[in-house]
Amino acid sequence: MKTIDLRSDTVTLPSPEMRRAIAGAELGDDVFGEDPAVNRLQEVAAEMLGKEAALLTSSGTQSNLVALLTHCRRGDEVIVGDQSHTLLYEVGGAWTLGGLGLRAVRNDARGRLDAGELRARIRGANDHFPRTGLICLENTHNQCGGAVLNEEDLAAVRDVADAHGLPLHMDGARIFNAAAALGVPVARLAAYADSVCFSLSKGLGCPIGSVLCGSREFIAEARRYRKMLGGGMRQAGIIAAAGLYALESMVGRLAEDHENARLAAAGLAQMPGVRLAPEPQTNLVYFTVEGWDLGRLVHRLGEAGVLCFDEGGRLRWVTHYGIERADIEEALDRTRSVLAAGG
Ligand SMILES: *Cc1c(COP(=O)(O)O)cnc(C)c1O
């Protein structure tokens, strides 16, 4: 029986072509700025996102922490969504390592920050208050079901940031999914933020890595913080070569993942007790199943060769490179049987 792994788009393995690109990479010492593949990846990424410069990091978590440290001073507050990855899943690095406070603003069901609450959370000038140093957005929004922030959503937050002279960072781990869903170049979305990071190791199918983009001055400073966090890597071209290949050859196929997610959602929605939570916009499908203990259901599905996670009250299926249309059909069949057999 074939295992269908829908736990995350991080389980993707490099394709044979990507492995060849890695094997053939021209290398140097990137801490000296001498790795040709890294330099090329950073140029290409900056160009695609419409920013002056870019920096390869080891992970999305590292990119976000480096961005927060670079934008802020110790003691500042960073405004984040209450469902954001940075607040919930990055080990508290911002306050533990950065001396930064994270101030949460409610995310609505579409991953947007509540506009009124956002304005209210920004600190005024007063000796009693910490300073607000940064506003963060997440696009696509993981916990909000892979929801896409469109240009109107982004412009609204940019206006607030500008009105208060604050920088805006976008956690764009899946920004290429957002661009694919909207049918716009990724630079159009990145334009609203001062800095944007995206993951190489999710839908783009690379083994490792994330890229942080911003102004030349921002990236020069970010480079120092990356080094401080232990992220100065030497012949990192073996990572960058995969990234370069992905930017050329993997971005264009993300729409397939979205199509498979819609297929999965349509099939799931017809099963008794299943409710989409919410309707998927990209490659993440969250759903609830009435009458089941979800931990037990995950276990039963696992026995049937369908792997997924219980994300605290919802199950999540993630489509990605390595999951074909036929795999979704098979996963739906197996799920139907598991549900029919009962809890
Ligand atoms: C996965 C993810 C990250 C972190 O990336 P890692 O490479 O796993 O550290 C950050 N933000 C969002 C929205 C993510 O989905």
Side-chain angles (χ1 to χ4, degrees):
M1 182 177 61
K2 180 183 175 184
T3 298
I4 301 167
D5 194 344
L6 300 169
R7 288 173 302 167
S8 176
D9 45 9
T10 57
V11 303
T12 45
L13 298 176
S15 67
E17 296 80 11
M18 185 180 279
R19 284 174 185 266
R20 272 198 287 282
I22 294 168
E26 202 188 329
L27 304 175
D29 188 329
D30 180 52
V31 174
F32 301 163
E34 292 173 2
D35 188 291
V38 171
N39 291 338
R40 180 88 191 113
L41 170 67
Q42 291 173 169
E43 279 164 26
V44 170
E47 165 89 28
M48 280 178 91
L49 274 87
K51 299 295 180 201
E52 286 175 359
L55 186 70
L56 173 67
T57 69
S58 62
S59 68
T61 300
Q62 188 175 63
S63 275
N64 282 331
L65 182 54
V66 164
L68 267 54
L69 289 169
T70 306
H71 281 298
C72 299
R73 282 179 284 184
R74 208 173 166 76
D76 281 359
E77 269 183 352
V78 177
I79 294 186
V80 295
D82 68 348
Q83 300 300 313
S84 66
H85 195 281
T86 296
L87 178 64
L88 300 177
Y89 299 117
E90 293 175 17
V91 210
W95 59 84
T96 310
L97 303 174
L100 300 171
L102 294 187
R103 197 140 202 246
V105 168
R106 199 152 22 98
N107 279 120
D108 71 12
R110 285 190 37 216
R112 296 175 297 195
L113 295 179
D114 182 274
E117 226 178 78
L118 171 59
R119 280 194 200 87
R121 290 282 182 274
I122 295 172
R123 302 284 193 168
N126 182 319
D127 281 351
H128 296 82
F129 295 163
R131 277 191 202 95
T132 302
L134 177 67
I135 300 173
C136 292
L137 291 176
E138 187 173 313
N139 197 14
T140 64
H141 200 291
N142 191 335
Q143 280 297 301
C144 296
V148 175
L149 301 180
N150 62 29
E151 290 188 72
E152 199 181 320
D153 302 331
L154 298 171
V157 177
R158 181 77 252 178
D159 284 348
V160 175
D162 286 345
H164 293 86
L166 292 173
L168 181 57
H169 171 66
M170 185 149 51
D171 175 359
R174 297 189 180 85
I175 188 80
F176 284 100
N177 293 85
L182 293 167
V184 302
V186 72
R188 285 267 288 277
L189 305 179
Y192 294 92
D194 298 280
S195 58
V196 182
C197 58
F198 66 88
S199 285
L200 294 170
S201 59
K202 292 186 172 166
L204 298 187
C206 298
I208 306 167
S210 164
V211 181
L212 175 63
C213 304
S215 70
R216 222 178 299 286
E217 192 186 7
F218 173 84
I219 291 298
E221 190 64 11
R223 199 177 164 84
R224 292 174 53 78
Y225 282 111
R226 182 188 66 171
K227 185 78 176 125
M228 190 188 285
L229 297 174
M233 299 182 283
R234 301 294 176 172
Q235 283 72 39
I238 56 167
I239 296 169
L244 270 169
Y245 174 82
L247 291 180
E248 284 162 13
S249 305
M250 298 295 284
V251 171
R253 59 158 305 287
L254 292 173
E256 269 175 57
D257 296 341
H258 299 177
E259 202 178 308
N260 285 333
R262 281 193 294 273
L263 178 70
L268 286 166
Q270 287 180 0
M271 295 180 203
V274 174
R275 232 162 42 94
L276 300 172
E279 191 82 34
Q281 294 179 35
T282 53
N283 69 325
L284 309 182
V285 184
Y286 284 89
F287 58 98
T288 57
V289 188
E290 218 177 81
W292 274 83
D293 172 83
L294 292 186
R296 193 204 310 266
L297 182 52
V298 165
H299 184 73
R300 289 282 167 81
L301 288 170
E303 287 172 341
V306 177
L307 306 187
C308 63
F309 282 138
D310 169 5
E311 289 279 329
R314 294 177 295 171
L315 293 194
R316 188 182 78 167
W317 283 11
V318 185
T319 57
H320 51 80
Y321 176 70
I323 296 292
E324 311 277 334
R325 188 183 171 87
D327 298 320
I328 295 296
E329 284 163 353
E330 178 65 24
L332 288 170
D333 282 345
R334 293 182 196 173
T335 303
R336 223 172 270 120
S337 303
V338 166
L339 290 179

